[in-house]
């Protein structure tokens, strides 16, 4: 298990940009599906090394933003900049090569295959054959997957599936890791371990954006938080500021 990081939440969010500059920039990004405007206009940046939490009601557009960052959905308008380079039209595999990786909200693994074979499929083109076993073991150990890797995914717990998918996402050694609802289906102990994992990965330098509804989890990891509502940035600040914001409580936190 990676060491727990118990650093307190930062009060001053501007420090990220003053020190490191942005890794990812979303500039006036919109997304429509047919006539439905889902992302009405997004502007935000993620600093190099930052751990950013993205929260908001169901349907606010969180997963759609992630899918635009990885290149699954083309934005309708606006620009996406990664490492000072525009990637708005770059294909998905080129973005992955550039260092962007995701754990999707909906599991993207083969249920009939074993945990180990899913890792093998995810890593086989990036890791030389003679290093594959060691690298799979290193990654599974890193995320705290301690179970039997010869079990088929359909027999794993929700928590084990999340950790397996995070391990697969780490296979490309990303500089930007997007985690869409990483604690879905987890009990309190698993959620706690996942919070420690996210903090440890970030402490190693992986810039991370996390979407999650579990506020206990968000409270444990949050440094800067952005609240999305109807496809736009509704509020931004530390968790203390967000929880004290009456408008955020009205549109989202009051419902949880
Ligand atoms: P969140 O992740 O914040 O819950 P999503 O990004 O999944 O929200 O969805 C935002 C809105 O976009 C929802 O109204 C959803 O129905 C719609 N949407 C997402 N993907 C598609 C799609 N491929 N086609 C049509 N509508 C979509
Ligand atoms: Mg979603």
């Amino acid at each position: 298990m990676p060491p727990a990081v118990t650093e307190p939440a930062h009060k001053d969010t501007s420090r990220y940009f003053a020190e490191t500059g942005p890794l990812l920039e979303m500039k006036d990004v919109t997304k429509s599906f047919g006539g439905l405007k889902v992302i009405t206009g997004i502007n935000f940046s993620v600093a190099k090394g930052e751990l950013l939490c993205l929260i908001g009601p169901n349907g606010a557009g969180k997963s759609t933003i992630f899918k635009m960052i990885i290149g699954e959905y083309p934005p309708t308008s606006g620009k996406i900049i990664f490492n000072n380079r525009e990637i708005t039209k770059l294909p998905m595999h080129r973005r992955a090569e550039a260092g962007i990786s995701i754990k999707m909200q909906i599991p993207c693994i083969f249920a009939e295959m074993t945990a180990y074979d899913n890792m093998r499929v995810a890593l086989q083109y990036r890791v030389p054959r003679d290093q594959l076993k060691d690298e799979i073991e290193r990654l599974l150990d890193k995320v705290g997957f301690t179970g039997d890797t010869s079990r088929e995914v359909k027999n794993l717990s929700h928590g084990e599936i999340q950790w397996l998918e995070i391990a697969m996402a780490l296979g490309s050694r990303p500089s930007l890791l997007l985690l869409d609802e990483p604690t879905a289906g987890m009990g309190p102990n698993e959620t706690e371990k996942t919070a420690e994992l996210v903090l440890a990965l970030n402490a190693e330098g992986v810039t991370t954006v996390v979407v999650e509804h579990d506020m206990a989890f968000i409270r444990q990891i949050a440094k800067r938080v952005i609240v999305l509502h109807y496809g736009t940035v509704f509020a931004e600040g530390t968790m203390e500021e967000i929880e004290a914001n009456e408008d955020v409580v009205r549109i989202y936190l009051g419902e949880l």
Side-chain angles (χ1 to χ4, degrees), residues 38-231:
V38 164
I39 301 298
T40 50
I42 288 284
N43 284 286
F44 71 84
S45 300
V46 186
K48 283 197 180 95
E50 188 181 359
L51 171 51
L52 173 69
C53 294
L54 217 52
I55 64 173
N58 273 326
K62 304 176 297 293
S63 296
T64 300
I65 289 172
F66 274 7
K67 287 175 182 173
M68 289 194 286
I69 296 169
I70 65 167
E72 185 174 333
Y73 292 162
T76 302
S77 63
K79 283 184 182 171
I80 303 176
I81 317 281
F82 181 67
N83 249 333
N84 297 319
R85 170 182 172 216
E86 185 173 353
I87 60 161
T88 319
K89 297 208 163 95
L90 208 63
M92 278 181 92
H93 68 278
R94 299 275 306 282
R95 299 188 201 203
E97 283 163 15
I100 300 175
S101 191
I102 188 168
K103 190 224 60 92
M104 306 278 268
Q105 181 177 347
I106 314 274
C108 295
I109 43 180
F110 299 105
E112 306 289 329
M113 278 168 41
T114 66
Y116 188 88
D117 283 344
N118 269 280
M119 287 295 290
R120 210 157 48 93
V121 169
L123 299 185
Q124 62 188 347
Y125 296 114
R126 299 188 201 110
V127 180
R129 192 180 275 255
D130 61 340
Q131 294 167 27
L132 204 51
K133 185 166 175 291
D134 285 351
E135 181 66 355
I136 290 173
E137 284 171 3
R138 186 186 73 82
L139 288 167
L140 289 174
D141 189 51
K142 188 178 197 84
V143 301
F145 186 106
T146 53
D148 178 1
T149 58
S150 69
R151 279 178 302 156
E152 289 171 0
V153 161
K154 65 185 179 195
N155 297 323
L156 301 180
S157 70
H158 289 294
E160 286 173 317
I161 290 174
Q162 298 284 13
W163 291 328
L164 180 61
E165 290 210 282
I166 295 171
M168 289 160 70
L170 291 174
S172 57
R173 300 194 179 230
S175 52
L176 177 64
L177 178 65
L178 310 174
L179 298 174
D180 199 344
E181 304 200 8
T183 72
M186 286 186 178
N189 289 344
E190 291 174 321
T191 300
E192 172 101 25
K193 277 172 74 177
T194 304
E196 288 169 7
L197 168 63
V198 170
L199 288 169
L201 291 171
N202 182 244
E204 284 175 20
V206 182
T207 305
T208 308
V209 187
V210 182
V211 164
E212 202 25 272
H213 289 290
D214 182 331
M215 282 306 127
F217 173 79
I218 293 289
R219 241 173 253 122
Q220 204 178 331
I221 65 167
K223 295 172 166 53
R224 186 165 69 110
V225 180
I226 285 179
V227 184
L228 286 177
H229 189 43
Y230 287 122

